[in-house]
């Protein structure tokens, strides 16, 4: 028993010692050990998640995050042990002097922005300063360039040995440039934070969820360990069609340049679903170029002008105030309205006189519309406004884009609207009402959709790893905007506006188009409508084909001075967009165009001979290859193509790698690939195939040099 008692005493004392020492460390020495811990462990370090992509309707990437790098050199070796530090510094200095020429030459090859001499001098300057954070190149480089730099002597070593390291950034890239850029949106350059557009509206889906990590120092090395792994953002599949967007943008910009417009909008919508297939917002910058400055289509309310007359006539038809067989007297083009004079556009030519209800819209008569509405609703203007709301005009659309402006439709019962006797007639022709272009288009889209009004849709689905995880369904705003008879009357009249009225230039020969022209004088604020240079909003809104509507579209342009006509200036843009859309995806077999007694040879672009050969073999077109070129080497040869009778001949281009190749006659894609593969930067002007190049063929090739190609259709 004494021995057991002695052992218990010893163990108890040891236990008390341990507890006492633990308490001492926890309380008396806690601050010291917390400081030591911070030197060796860093907690709660965020791990960024990869941002999701924005995809087009057919799955093409329209916005994606790609890594970019700032590259640095640390010229000072570090080790806590002075002997090891001196040895590491000696090795780094020796390797640097031995490989300096190779490093400078490699950097110039990878980043042509500086010469070999400049890179060498810059590195020497950093070494003399013994800098630990010497920026090797002022700009950022791509992932491919960074990986190439990692292959250079000294740079291929680990950072603590060779001194080369990089800082990574995620940059949002848009492969299609400025196409639909205001709608897609953008991020702040300094951080992964959305600024506007779909990037901001769907930020919670795209940005994902960042993780958490800690860094611990183990044997003089920092090791990062994830505590919570980041969850990458999902992709969103938009409704935008790249080819339709491109066609709409080109048609609108071409017209803006022709008439010197201030800004322009074009929106293309699928009738049944409300899918926005193209949305163009062009404003003129200080240099006179047209760029997507802001989203006018959804964020700028305008007095719609004559496109609003359709809604006014529809209210009167639906309420039984008029029929399509009625007539209205418009006189000589001038008509007194409660102390003011209403004028038609042809008042100097004597006006339209007595015209039918369909002709009122066909010729866009201000007097005709305002007389119909004023005489039938003057005693109860609220009923007219309520009729507009019944049709869906003025209903909030609640679009998922930050900056969207809701319609503003005045009501006589609202004291803030300052209703007067002239409000009703001028409101009926598109003044004193503010609508965004997309609100106007939504109304016309409902007419095309047999009366069903659907909400414009910009995003169709949310995707993760290519699989759909959520769909955004079609949203119906109103099942029917009017009765079937009123709808048929309006549809017939809108078709006549294009076939017989002022909207002829919006028509197409191969299919019918329906719509309405619009011209409105833009208010100059406090100066009213007559201060200084007069601005006009010209527009055309409609749908096609009339028999079975597939798409609706609005084109609106703001310009200064006369002439200003929606039919003459926006109609041709509408027609060009409609024809581009209707021909998209329509292909005919080549054999249908070939005479049975002859060989049909299509126009063939110069370029990659193997692709051309495969296509010609499928079309059963005789091919005569270059006699100086072995058949088995055709796979990697570029060249020129000639046709003689029904036979195609190949002439290979054997330009040496150190010379500029001849790309005349090539398509833009082939020309860019061939030139960039040899280290040249390419600038394209125009569209189609290459007409000329500013650096002559077979000139000495200098990598990094910019070559300008002129294209022609």
């Amino acid at each position: 028993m004494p021995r057991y008692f002695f052992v218990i005493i010893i163990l108890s004392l040891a236990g008390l010692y341990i507890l006492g020492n633990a308490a001492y460390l926890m309380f008396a020495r806690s601050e010291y050990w917390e400081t030591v811990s911070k030197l060796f462990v860093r907690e709660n370090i965020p791990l960024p998640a990869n941002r999701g992509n924005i995809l087009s309707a057919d799955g093409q990437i329209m916005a994606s995050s790609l890594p970019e790098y700032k590259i640095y050199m640390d010229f000072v070796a570090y080790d806590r042990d002075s002997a090891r530090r001196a040895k590491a510094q000696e090795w780094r200095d020796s390797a640097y002097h031995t490989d300096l020429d190779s490093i400078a030459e490699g950097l110039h090859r990878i980043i042509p922005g500086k010469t070999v001499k400049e890179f060498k001098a810059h590195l020497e300057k950093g070494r003399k300063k013994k800098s630990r954070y010497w920026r090797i190149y002022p700009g950022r480089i791509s992932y491919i360039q960074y990986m190439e730099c990692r292959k250079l002597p000294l740079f291929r070593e680990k950072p603590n040995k060779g001194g080369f390291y990089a800082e990574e950034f995620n940059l949002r890239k848009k492969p299609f440039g400025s196409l639909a850029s205001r709608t897609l949106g953008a991020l702040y350059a300094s951080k992964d934070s959305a600024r506007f557009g779909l990037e901001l509206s769907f930020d919670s889906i795209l940005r994902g969820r960042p993780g958490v990590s800690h860094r611990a120092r183990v044997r003089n090395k920092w090791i990062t360990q994830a505590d919570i792994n980041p969850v990458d953002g999902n992709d969103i599949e938009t409704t935008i069609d790249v080819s339709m967007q491109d066609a709409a943008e080109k048609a609108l910009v071409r017209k803006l340049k022709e008439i010197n417009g201030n800004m322009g909008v074009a929106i293309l919508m699928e009738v049944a679903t409300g899918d926005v297939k193209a949305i163009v917002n062009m404003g003129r910058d200080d240099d006179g170029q047209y760029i997507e400055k802001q989203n006018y289509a959804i964020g700028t309310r305008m007095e719609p002008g004559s496109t609003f007359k359709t809604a006014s006539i529809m209210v009167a038809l639906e309420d039984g105030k008029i029929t399509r067989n009625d007539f209205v007297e418009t006189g000589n083009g001038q008509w007194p309205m409660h102390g003011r004079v209403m004028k038609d556009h042809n008042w100097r030519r004597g006006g339209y006189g007595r015209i039918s209800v369909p002709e009122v819209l066909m010729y866009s008569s201000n007097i005709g519309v305002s007389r119909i509405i004023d005489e039938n609703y003057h005693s109860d203007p609220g009923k007219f406004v309520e009729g507009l709301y019944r049709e869906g005009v003025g209903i909030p659309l609640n679009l998922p884009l930050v900056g969207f402006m809701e319609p503003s439709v005045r009501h006589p019962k609202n004291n803030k609207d300052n209703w007067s006797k002239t409000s009703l007639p001028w409101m009926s022709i598109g003044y004193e009402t503010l609508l965004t272009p997309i609100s106007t288009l939504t109304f016309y889209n409902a007419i095309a959709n047999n009366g069903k009004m659907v909400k414009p849709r910009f995003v169709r689905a949310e995707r993760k790893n290519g699989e759909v995880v959520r769909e955004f369904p079609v949203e119906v705003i109103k099942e029917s905007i009017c009765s079937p008879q009123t709808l048929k009357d309006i549809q017939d009249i809108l078709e006549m506006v294009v076939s017989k009225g002022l909207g002829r230039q919006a028509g197409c020969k191969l299919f019918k188009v329906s719509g309405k022209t619009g011209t409105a004088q833009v208010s100059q604020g406090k100066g009213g409508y007559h201060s200084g240079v007069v601005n006009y909003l010209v527009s055309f809104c409609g749908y096609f084909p009339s028999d079975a509507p597939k798409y609706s579209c609005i084109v609106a342009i703001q310009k200064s001075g006369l002439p200003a006509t929606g039919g003459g200036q926006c109609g041709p843009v509408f027609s060009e967009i409609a024809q581009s859309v209707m021909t998209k995806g329509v292909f005919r077999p080549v054999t249908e165009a070939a005479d049975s007694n002859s060989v049909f040879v299509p126009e063939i672009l110069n370029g990659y001979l193997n692709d051309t050969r495969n296509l010609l073999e499928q079309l059963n077109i005789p091919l005569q290859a270059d006699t100086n070129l072995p058949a088995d080497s055709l796979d990697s040869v570029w060249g020129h193509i000639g046709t003689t009778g029904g036979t195609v001949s190949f002439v290979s281009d054997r330009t040496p790698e150190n010379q500029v190749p001849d790309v005349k006659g090539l398509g833009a894609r082939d020309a860019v690939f061939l030139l960039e593969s040899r280290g040249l930067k390419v600038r394209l002007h125009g569209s189609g195939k290459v007409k000329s190049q500013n650096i002559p063929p077979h000139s000495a090739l200098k990598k990094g040099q910019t070559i300008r190609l002129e294209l022609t259709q």
Side-chain angles (χ1 to χ4, degrees), residues 147-260:
M147 294 307 293
E148 288 296 313
C149 288
R150 289 288 305 272
K151 296 177 183 178
L152 297 177
L154 190 63
F155 290 6
R156 67 171 67 102
E157 305 292 341
K158 292 181 179 180
N160 61 336
K161 184 177 182 182
F164 174 75
Y165 65 98
E167 184 179 4
E168 182 178 339
F169 297 86
N170 273 332
L171 186 69
R172 205 65 168 164
K173 291 281 189 178
K174 296 177 181 176
F176 295 99
S178 63
L179 215 62
S181 61
R182 292 302 304 188
T183 302
L184 296 178
L187 305 180
Y188 288 103
S190 58
K191 53 185 178 179
D192 183 20
S193 178
R195 292 173 55 198
F196 56 84
L198 296 177
E199 293 277 17
L200 179 57
S201 300
F202 292 86
D203 184 56
S204 60
I205 294 174
L206 292 167
R207 72 167 178 261
R209 189 170 65 248
V212 178
S213 68
H214 70 272
R215 298 188 72 196
R217 189 159 186 165
V218 180
R219 301 180 68 179
N220 293 327
K221 292 183 180 180
W222 284 101
I223 299 175
T224 300
Q225 294 181 320
D227 300 319
I228 302 175
N229 290 321
V231 178
D232 291 343
N234 290 350
D235 302 336
I236 58 172
E237 177 188 320
T238 69
T239 59
I240 293 172
D241 184 290
V242 173
S243 61
M244 294 182 186
Q245 177 75 27
D246 185 50
E249 182 174 311
K250 287 178 179 176
L252 180 63
V253 171
R254 199 157 34 239
K255 180 58 70 172
L256 285 170
K257 290 179 178 178
E258 179 186 324
I259 66 175
N260 196 30

Side-chain angles (χ1 to χ4, degrees), residues 453-556:
M453 180 176 284
V454 293
K455 181 178 178 178
R457 185 168 64 164
F458 291 88
V459 174
R460 197 159 54 191
E462 176 185 350
R463 290 180 174 272
K464 186 175 183 66
N465 299 324
E467 299 294 328
V468 175
V469 296
R470 178 170 51 153
E471 291 186 348
F472 296 90
V474 175
E475 295 184 42
V476 178
I477 300 173
K478 291 184 72 69
E479 285 291 344
S480 180
I481 62 172
C482 63
S483 66
Q485 184 58 52
T486 299
L487 183 68
K488 186 179 185 309
D489 289 342
I490 286 295
Q491 288 174 337
D492 291 344
I493 293 172
L494 292 180
E495 193 277 321
M496 287 190 284
V497 170
V498 178
S499 61
K500 302 176 182 178
L502 298 180
R504 285 190 182 91
Q505 293 191 57
C508 302
K509 293 180 180 179
L510 300 178
F511 53 90
K512 291 182 179 180
V513 171
S514 300
K516 180 69 184 74
T517 60
T519 304
Q521 196 171 326
V522 179
S523 173
Q524 306 297 307
K526 293 182 179 180
Y529 295 91
H530 303 286
S531 62
V533 177
V534 179
N535 290 329
Y536 294 89
L537 178 70
V538 295
S539 58
F540 185 91
C541 189
Y543 53 87
F544 57 92
S546 301
D547 302 330
K550 178 71 174 173
Y551 297 99
S552 61
C553 180
I554 185 171
V555 177

